[in-house]
Amino acid sequence: MASGVKVEEVVKLKYDDIKKKKSYRYLVFYIKDEKMITVEKVGARDCNYNDFLGDLTGAGPDDCRYGVYDFEYTHQCQGTSEASKKRKAFPDVLVPRQC
């Protein structure tokens, strides 16, 4: 069953920029007029997780927001002497009780 909510083309482009080009640290989305998912905020690469949380919750306690954060971490496999830098984009959803 389709929800009837469409995704703006810019959302797809910005998401690909995070996944492939590592252009941004995060994106925050919202549903505009109950019809279209659109980008609300774009975080530069030098932004951190606290910046992301601030933008995710910045619309107020009554508004739903959706986000993608490109998390970087260092991982050292067992039995190796060198650590490698890893990245993982993960989704986040803010759904207040009022929604």
Side-chain angles (χ1 to χ4, degrees):
M1 177 194 276
S3 68
V5 177
K6 299 185 185 314
V7 178
E8 278 187 346
E9 188 64 29
V10 71
V11 171
K12 298 174 190 175
L13 296 172
K14 297 285 186 189
Y15 181 78
D16 283 344
D17 285 346
I18 283 183
K19 290 291 285 181
K20 296 175 183 172
K21 298 177 186 176
K22 307 296 181 198
S23 300
Y24 311 110
R25 176 66 61 206
Y26 63 84
L27 300 172
V28 175
F29 314 103
Y30 72 105
I31 299 176
K32 182 178 181 180
D33 301 324
E34 298 180 13
K35 296 178 183 177
M36 184 75 66
I37 297 173
T38 188
V39 175
E40 181 177 50
K41 302 277 183 170
V42 177
R45 286 304 293 176
D46 60 345
C47 291
N48 61 35
Y49 191 68
N50 287 331
D51 297 326
F52 172 65
L53 290 178
D55 283 343
L56 193 65
T57 59
D62 297 333
D63 290 328
C64 299
R65 291 296 183 262
Y66 312 89
V68 174
Y69 186 83
D70 188 25
F71 182 69
E72 292 181 336
Y73 61 98
T74 303
H75 177 73
Q76 183 172 350
C77 293
Q78 188 174 0
T80 64
S81 60
E82 292 186 24
S84 60
K85 193 174 189 179
K86 303 278 186 177
R87 290 186 171 130
K88 185 70 114 178
F90 68 90
D92 201 354
V93 179
L94 174 68
V95 183
R97 289 183 180 205
Q98 295 85 350
C99 288

